[in-house]
Amino acid sequence: MCLRRLLQFLPLQRTWRAAFRKHGQCGHQGAWRWTHSEGGPYRAVIFDMGGVLIPSPGRVAAEWEVQNHIPSGTILKAFISGGENGPWMTFMRGELTEEDFLQEFGRLCSEIAETSVPVDSFFSLLTSEQVAKQLPVMTEAITQIRAKGLKTAVLSNNFYLSNGKSFLPLDRKQFDVVDDPEVAVKELEALLGFTLRKAPPNTRPMSKTMEIPVESLEKHLKALLGTRTTGPLELRQFDHGQSNPTYFIRLAEQQLVLRKKPPGTLLPSAHAVEREFRVMKALANAGIPVPKVLDLCEDSSVIGTPFYLMEYCPGLIYKDPSLPGLEPSQRQAIYTAMNRVLCRIHSVDFKAAGLGDYGKHGDYIPRQVQTWIKQYRASETSTLPAMERLIEWLPLHLPRQQKVTVVHGDFRLDNLVFHPEKPEVLAVLDWELSTLGDPLVDVAFSCLAHHLPPSFPILRGLSGCDLTQLGIPTAEEYFRMYCLHMGIPPTDNWNFYMAFSFFRVAAILQGVYKRSLTGQASSTTAEQSGKLAEFTSELAWEFAIKEGFWVFKEMPATKPLTRPYHTWAGPRSLLSTPGVRSYTSHPESSSARASKGALVVSPEGLSPSVRALYEQLKQFMERHVYPAEPALRSHQASAERWTPAPLLEELKEKAKAEGLWNLFLPLETDPERKYGAGLTNVEYAHLCELMGMSLYAPEIFNCSAPDTGNMELLVRYGTEEQKARWLPPLLEGRARSCFAMTEPQVASSDATNIESSIREEDGFYVINGRKWWISGILDPRCQLCVFMGKTDPHAPRHQQQSVLLVPMDTPGIKVIRPLTVYGLDDAPGGHGEVLFEQVRVPKESMVLGPGRGFEIAQGRLGPGRIHHCMRLIGHSERALALMKARVKSRVAFGKPLVEQGTILADIAQSRVEIEQARLLVLKAAHLMDVAGNKAAALEIAMIKMVAPSMAYQVIDRAIQAFGAAGLSNDYPLAQFFAWARALRFADGPDEVHRAVVAKMELKHRI
Ligand SMILES: Cc1cc2nc3c(=O)[nH]c(=O)nc-3n(C[C@H](O)[C@H](O)[C@H](O)COP(=O)(O)OP(=O)(O)OC[C@H]3O[C@@H](n4cnc5c(N)ncnc54)[C@H](O)[C@@H]3O)c2cc1C
């Protein structure tokens, strides 16, 4: 007799007991209790064997040890020694002969006991009839139990004889089930009518609304699977599968998954289970890891809707993208495996795989955008403002080139089944949204979690997690990994893909929400989906903002790009009337032809409404601003200069009353025109140039730096609370603000050098550091400091900085001194050197989140930076106009200066340079409008290189022609000159812009 399975007592039985207790919520050892509607509470009693029906081998061993003077516990220690690979367990699995076992086991026992142990004698006892015999008391108990009509069962493996037949030292007639545990459980399940096994992970009992007719399904399965199907059908619902309800089926040996369409009226073309079935079949043949599909049933009479069946693929599904419990290297490996499998999907030759007609071959993104807009509209329950903006934005910003591959359409970590022991994807699930299309959509979709909070209910996120520490690649690293593996260059419109992906999520969530209202949605979280749709739509909009805006779809080819004009100084006094550009030779009809998308090179080309605004602004400048300049200059030279000039405040009120207010916020940042005039960058360029004619004008129209950049920052990146607190005073011109980045001790042209620290402490951020050249900080109206500092010196270089909104009255801010530009202190705003010592602000003061300062600083200086260039054109025009008037009236050496050849040459040179620079500024603005800020990066860098130097030269020539008067404060020239020079640093040093231009030139134009 082989007693290999006799004493599988300890581990196995404990496992069973634990499973039963957990499952049945009952603590009885050896018997499981439940309530039945008919009769008493019990229907059956299940017995353990060793220690219950027959004596415990542990007790046999203990007695034997005493009798044989073997140290107590030796046998027990030897039983468990080596775990699964110890001699006992190896023998139990039949992997050792009895002889080998006894040799090995004897050696082990002798080692433990430190004396020779005669294991043969113990083994004979254990297998003797006396021991392997049912205890009489149990025999009696079983008889009584059965007499009451209850079933009895024993849980044990078979005893196998050497001839292969099973043997059990029990009277089989006493038990309804006596067999191998697997078979025993199966038979018991048949007897009881429900499962005794642990449910597969991520499943739950079917919800009432999602029940499917079991009998009909069972019939179908039995017909499909044939004789292999005995026993009860276990049916559970997977937690995921919001869209197509998904079920786990256990029938006899078979573990299957059923996916079906949801019940009720469905949105057109959604929930196509037939397509899922088709693509999985084809991809399996192409070597992609997908569950094996078995059957597609399109007959709705079986369970109410079409469905398909596939094999259940056991393995690990990581629901939490932070992969808790894993090592950083394991996390890295999991994300790499995910990335690789996506590359494999995208590399499938879809025509060869028989999927050539699985989707259209072009225009995937435009079609997707329209599809999701339609789906969203079909399930809309209320207006979501961000969705409305995206519906306008997305079609205008479509990628120009797209590859075509199989796309999964919902590729994310929790749609992958991983091998339990190694970083290998065993199956890619949920192909509902698959088609042929642009593969980058899948890559962006893989990165959704990076931008969602960990508490996001449907897809847990990673935002705020320290990815470096976790070992998880950032979204950018993940994307680069993909590009590297696919051998493609990284795309520069990644944010479009992110915006589109979140838009799609928002549309899906809105669909789930609508279905929850009509009882069709399968998830318990479906009702929350309305709020989540709103949240994700706002996230999508954040990416749209980052991507930038092309206000017009196409760059018009028909608009004339020439403008005949001459420039002249008006007849009035030089002090009050600057040079004004006039375009009299330009036909009036041109404004009628003005197109919103045109590169408008002269104000006449502006649309009638903007042209009217331009004229109104010009008149305001002539009537109010130029005449006020002498008084304003005097104020700046007086002892009261550190308080705002009352005249300037008066002019602000006038400008506001005339609607000449906040003209700066570009349409791209403020598409709903909530805050500004909704001008395009080109339109504003013309108006901004006019404002640049006077150093005082920008503030009068509430269009001055650094407030404009800060307001734009708040509109783009601020939370609703931050906007509510800071935007109204700034937009109304009641408050002013500053931007604190530059530090004396580091080269601040490289913003990654910034050292001021931002530390988290008791729910606050504590700031320490020294800043300088902080424009506007000395103004008594300055209420807000937009502060940039380092939150994490160990993060990747561009993720160390963060931006805080710091109220200027926070204790610990000390302005040490005003700095001067060529002796000018630019009162009342000034440029301050400031100490921040233990400055505490609440955590809500953070903009966008820790580590995102660099991104904000870049975004802040988009349109804001080219405003300086636009104004510099204005300074230059004004300087040239003043120069022309001066040289006509000033006589030296017997003739007006204007008759000197060098003066004529200077005038000509200045005119040419202004024109060149203006055209470049307008081109940059135009590109920002039609192709987005990023596409205009080269032009932006070029004008920042060109405009200050050009203005510096033009103003210098004017000063030269003026003689010493040009250096005085009687004219704006000296201040213009100082400012043009300062802007060769303040807007980033020339060299940095040159480096950008050269880098791009070398990269793209070889
Ligand atoms: C009038 C004025 C107003 C300002 N207002 C503000 C403000 O409101 N807030 C604020 O935070 N800052 C402000 N600044 C500071 C301004 O942003 C910095 O001066 C600028 O970023 C340069 O930094 P830095 O002075 O530390 O020069 P550094 O970084 O020390 O650079 C010094 C020089 O090194 C050279 N250099 C730098 N990089 C390169 C390169 N890549 N290649 C070759 N040469 C290079 C350049 O010649 C550069 O001028 C203002 C400056 C001025 C003049």
Side-chain angles (χ1 to χ4, degrees):
M1 182 175 74
C2 171
L3 291 182
R4 219 164 255 149
R5 309 289 167 109
L6 172 61
L7 299 171
Q8 292 217 334
F9 61 107
L10 288 169
L12 178 68
Q13 288 176 5
R14 274 202 213 108
T15 312
W16 277 102
R17 285 192 199 117
F20 277 22
R21 270 204 296 274
K22 199 168 151 200
H23 201 98
Q25 306 290 305
C26 173
H28 289 246
Q29 289 217 342
W32 185 28
R33 169 188 162 154
W34 67 95
T35 311
H36 190 259
S37 54
E38 292 163 27
Y42 302 111
R43 277 184 57 194
V45 180
I46 304 168
F47 292 88
D48 277 346
M49 197 168 72
V52 176
L53 294 175
I54 59 173
S56 155
R59 220 182 63 212
V60 176
E63 282 169 11
W64 178 83
E65 283 165 351
V66 172
Q67 280 164 15
N68 291 277
H69 310 290
I70 303 295
S72 160
T74 299
I75 298 288
L76 202 57
K77 277 189 201 144
F79 274 154
I80 56 178
S81 172
E84 285 295 307
N85 300 320
W88 178 252
M89 293 306 285
T90 321
F91 176 55
M92 286 291 140
R93 290 195 299 271
E95 291 163 21
L96 282 182
T97 62
E98 194 176 310
E99 201 180 323
D100 289 345
F101 162 70
L102 287 175
Q103 203 175 348
E104 178 74 359
F105 194 68
R107 194 188 47 74
L108 184 63
C109 288
S110 302
E111 249 175 51
I112 296 167
E114 294 177 350
T115 176
S116 167
V117 179
V119 289
D120 295 38
S121 123
F122 168 67
F123 200 63
S124 303
L125 175 68
L126 195 64
T127 55
S128 69
E129 226 174 79
Q130 170 204 352
V131 170
K133 190 170 152 210
Q134 189 168 303
L135 298 167
V137 63
M138 295 311 290
T139 310
E140 236 167 75
I142 292 163
T143 313
Q144 293 307 317
I145 290 166
R146 292 180 71 82
K148 292 273 178 211
L150 273 82
K151 308 279 183 191
T152 49
V154 62
L155 287 176
S156 167
N157 286 349
N158 264 344
F159 289 45
Y160 288 102
L161 303 176
S162 358
N163 62 8
K165 291 206 173 139
S166 73
F167 164 81
L168 199 71
L170 300 169
D171 179 1
R172 280 169 177 255
K173 285 192 231 96
Q174 292 179 326
F175 303 100
D176 295 284
V177 182
V178 181
D179 220 324
D180 172 271
E182 270 298 306
V183 182
V185 168
K186 213 176 334 146
E187 288 181 17
L188 257 180
E189 284 174 335
L191 196 71
L192 300 171
F194 57 85
T195 182
L196 294 175
R197 276 170 288 194
K198 207 174 148 215
N202 308 315
T203 64
R204 59 189 150 89
M206 276 188 292
S207 65
K208 269 266 165 278
T209 48
M210 286 294 139
E211 271 177 6
I212 51 178
V214 178
E215 271 174 31
S216 171
L217 174 65
E218 197 166 351
K219 210 168 121 202
H220 179 85
L221 290 174
K222 287 190 170 157
L224 180 76
L225 303 170
T227 49
R228 290 172 287 161
T229 53
T230 51
L233 177 99
E234 182 192 349
L235 196 52
R236 296 177 64 81
Q237 199 181 334
F238 279 97
D239 296 334
H240 53 273
Q242 301 290 321
S243 178
N244 287 340
T246 309
Y247 300 82
F248 171 79
I249 297 172
R250 193 177 347 233
L251 182 59
E253 295 300 299
Q254 304 281 320
Q255 296 194 93
L256 307 173
V257 175
L258 179 151
R259 248 165 98 77
K260 68 186 279 289
K261 296 192 183 217
T265 320
L266 302 177
L267 294 174
S269 81
H271 313 287
V273 291
E274 318 77 23
R275 282 175 58 81
E276 276 185 66
F277 181 81
R278 179 183 168 198
V279 74
M280 286 167 77
K281 202 167 173 185
L283 289 178
N285 292 335
I288 301 297
V290 285
K292 185 174 173 199
V293 288
L294 302 172
D295 177 49
L296 171 69
C297 175
E298 295 183 88
D299 177 0
S300 295
S301 69
V302 179
I303 61 164
T305 64
F307 67 94
Y308 71 94
L309 291 161
M310 58 189 143
E311 281 180 357
Y312 173 67
C313 177
L316 292 178
I317 295 184
Y318 296 109
K319 290 271 176 187
D320 185 339
S322 68
L323 303 176
L326 297 193
E327 293 293 315
S329 61
Q330 292 173 313
R331 295 193 185 99
Q332 171 78 35
I334 290 287
Y335 276 91
T336 305
M338 174 182 178
N339 199 287
R340 285 290 151 87
V341 86
L342 186 60
C343 293
R344 280 172 68 188
I345 295 168
H346 292 167
S347 304
V348 166
D349 179 345
F350 59 85
K351 285 185 192 149
L355 292 170
D357 61 347
Y358 191 59
K360 294 189 182 139
H361 288 205
D363 288 339
Y364 170 71
I365 301 266
R367 283 184 287 105
Q368 278 282 300
V369 166
Q370 289 314 319
T371 302
W372 288 105
I373 290 176
K374 259 191 232 139
Q375 298 241 14
Y376 171 71
R377 289 288 186 221
S379 52
E380 205 175 351
T381 48
S382 64
T383 301
L384 299 181
M387 287 304 263
E388 295 305 318
R389 291 197 291 262
L390 288 159
I391 286 169
E392 269 191 36
W393 184 87
L394 286 166
L396 289 171
H397 297 81
L398 299 168
R400 301 215 191 282
Q401 284 172 348
Q402 296 160 45
K403 229 178 121 184
V404 180
T405 68
V406 169
V407 290
H408 179 276
D410 192 9
F411 193 81
R412 47 196 167 107
L413 192 64
D414 63 348
N415 268 335
L416 305 179
V417 181
F418 278 87
H419 192 288
E421 276 148 26
K422 49 184 177 179
E424 180 187 327
V425 177
L426 297 178
V428 182
L429 310 176
D430 199 350
W431 291 84
E432 185 193 351
L433 300 171
S434 63
T435 184
L436 299 182
D438 184 341
L440 293 181
V441 168
D442 275 346
V443 192
F445 221 70
S446 322
C447 296
L448 291 182
H450 283 80
H451 304 280
L452 290 169
S455 58
F456 197 74
I458 287 168
L459 172 64
R460 264 186 246 171
L462 288 168
S463 78
C465 297
D466 185 338
L467 297 186
T468 316
Q469 205 183 351
L470 287 171
I472 295 174
T474 61
E476 291 74 21
E477 285 161 352
Y478 182 88
F479 175 54
R480 278 200 299 275
M481 194 195 293
Y482 173 87
C483 293
L484 199 70
H485 198 69
M486 293 296 281
I488 54 166
T491 171
D492 61 2
N493 56 348
W494 173 243
N495 286 319
F496 170 86
Y497 286 93
M498 290 308 300
F500 169 65
S501 299
F502 274 113
F503 172 75
R504 215 176 56 159
V505 172
I508 293 170
L509 287 169
Q510 182 61 31
V512 175
Y513 178 58
K514 176 93 181 275
R515 289 204 308 283
S516 82
L517 298 179
T518 55
Q520 285 171 269
S522 63
S523 161
T524 44
T525 47
E527 282 159 33
Q528 300 173 29
S529 304
K531 280 257 158 285
L532 302 180
E534 189 174 355
F535 174 79
T536 42
S537 67
E538 278 158 14
L539 262 180
W541 185 242
E542 264 190 33
F543 281 102
I545 287 170
K546 267 203 237 163
E547 177 64 25
F549 293 74
W550 317 344
V551 176
F552 312 106
K553 194 170 179 186
E554 297 298 335
M555 191 173 313
T558 51
K559 187 70 194 163
L561 295 182
T562 53
R563 61 165 187 179
Y565 64 89
H566 65 264
T567 302
W568 56 282
R572 279 179 265 169
S573 138
L574 269 181
L575 291 182
S576 61
T577 310
V580 181
R581 279 191 290 150
S582 162
Y583 310 97
T584 47
S585 57
H586 201 284
E588 262 311 302
S589 60
S590 66
S591 63
R593 285 191 280 120
S595 149
K596 265 272 171 191
L599 169 50
V600 180
V601 294
S602 76
E604 280 85 355
L606 294 168
S607 68
S609 60
V610 181
R611 174 83 196 276
L613 198 60
Y614 179 89
E615 289 303 328
Q616 192 189 346
L617 183 68
K618 197 164 94 177
Q619 281 174 26
F620 193 98
M621 295 285 292
E622 284 166 7
R623 271 194 282 122
H624 305 295
V625 180
Y626 305 126
E629 281 183 333
L632 293 173
R633 271 202 292 271
S634 300
H635 179 84
Q636 268 196 316
S638 74
E640 282 79 49
R641 66 185 187 285
W642 294 107
T643 57
L647 177 57
L648 198 122
E649 292 301 306
E650 262 174 49
L651 291 176
K652 276 167 73 174
E653 288 310 312
K654 265 201 182 93
K656 202 191 282 182
E658 287 199 24
L660 295 170
W661 195 251
N662 292 335
L663 304 172
F664 66 96
L665 255 187
L667 192 56
E668 58 176 72
T669 306
D670 179 27
E672 290 170 317
R673 295 178 167 85
K674 254 164 73 180
Y675 308 106
L679 299 176
T680 66
N681 283 298
V682 165
E683 288 168 341
Y684 183 65
H686 291 283
L687 276 74
C688 192
E689 180 184 324
L690 259 188
M691 291 182 214
M693 298 278 194
S694 167
L695 282 168
Y696 305 100
E699 190 186 341
I700 291 171
F701 304 109
N702 214 36
C703 291
S704 54
D707 298 314
T708 45
N710 289 341
M711 283 188 262
E712 203 179 329
L713 177 148
L714 286 163
V715 172
R716 275 180 182 232
Y717 306 118
T719 61
E720 287 312 312
E721 291 71 30
Q722 290 168 343
K723 285 182 198 168
R725 171 155 187 200
W726 295 114
L727 271 177
L730 289 169
L731 285 165
E732 287 162 23
R734 284 186 278 122
R736 300 217 59 191
S737 61
C738 61
F739 185 78
M741 182 193 76
T742 305
E743 296 175 0
Q745 68 278 20
V746 293
S748 303
S749 46
D750 176 358
T752 60
N753 283 345
I754 297 311
E755 281 180 348
S756 289
S757 77
I758 302 178
R759 247 184 321 105
E760 241 184 283
E761 205 178 279
D762 310 328
F764 282 79
Y765 285 118
V766 181
I767 304 171
N768 281 289
R770 181 189 284 259
K771 301 276 180 185
W772 75 343
W773 288 103
I774 310 309
S775 302
I777 200 163
L778 290 117
D779 194 311
R781 296 162 299 177
C782 182
Q783 291 180 13
L784 168 68
C785 173
V786 178
F787 182 93
M788 185 159 160
K790 238 176 212 176
T791 28
D792 182 1
H794 307 295
R797 245 179 106 219
H798 292 99
Q799 288 164 28
Q800 298 179 354
Q801 297 78 14
S802 305
V803 165
L804 289 173
L805 302 177
V806 184
M808 278 302 292
D809 57 4
T810 315
I813 303 178
K814 278 186 219 141
V815 179
I816 301 169
R817 59 167 176 154
L819 296 152
T820 58
V821 177
Y822 293 130
L824 301 169
D825 52 24
D826 283 337
H831 312 286
E833 182 166 347
V834 202
L835 260 184
F836 291 81
E837 286 175 330
Q838 292 295 105
V839 177
R840 285 166 79 84
V841 290
K843 286 183 85 176
E844 298 72 50
S845 315
M846 178 74 73
V847 184
L848 271 190
R852 301 186 67 182
F854 206 79
E855 185 185 331
I856 295 168
Q858 298 281 307
R860 177 185 178 273
L861 298 174
R865 274 204 191 176
I866 84 161
H867 295 171
H868 279 313
C869 299
M870 295 168 181
R871 281 190 286 264
L872 283 166
I873 309 286
H875 295 357
S876 311
E877 280 291 3
R878 177 97 185 265
L880 181 58
L882 289 169
M883 175 183 175
K884 286 188 294 181
R886 176 82 174 187
V887 294
K888 277 190 220 160
S889 62
R890 197 84 171 164
V891 177
F893 299 100
K895 53 182 177 181
L897 287 175
V898 75
E899 288 176 22
Q900 300 291 349
T902 54
I903 297 283
L904 290 173
D906 279 354
I907 289 172
Q909 191 61 34
S910 291
R911 168 51 54 215
V912 168
E913 287 175 5
I914 295 173
E915 287 306 310
Q916 288 174 332
R918 179 189 287 116
L919 279 174
L920 201 52
V921 168
L922 289 172
K923 183 187 174 198
H926 180 63
L927 272 178
M928 285 163 87
D929 286 339
V930 298
N933 294 354
K934 223 183 297 158
L938 175 63
E939 278 70 16
I940 294 175
M942 288 199 290
I943 58 167
K944 285 194 284 193
M945 236 180 90
V946 165
S949 299
M950 176 283 296
Y952 176 82
Q953 295 292 343
V954 169
I955 299 161
D956 186 54
R957 284 183 205 113
I959 291 174
Q960 192 65 23
F962 258 79
L967 297 175
S968 76
N969 227 8
D970 293 350
Y971 300 95
L973 295 173
Q975 273 177 299
F976 278 155
F977 183 79
W979 189 236
R981 184 66 188 83
L983 275 174
R984 293 181 58 195
F985 303 116
D987 217 5
D990 288 352
E991 290 83 352
V992 172
H993 306 312
R994 274 189 224 144
V996 172
V997 173
K999 211 163 127 192
M1000 292 179 93
E1001 177 70 19
L1002 288 166
K1003 194 166 161 196
H1004 298 299
R1005 303 199 185 198
I1006 283 177

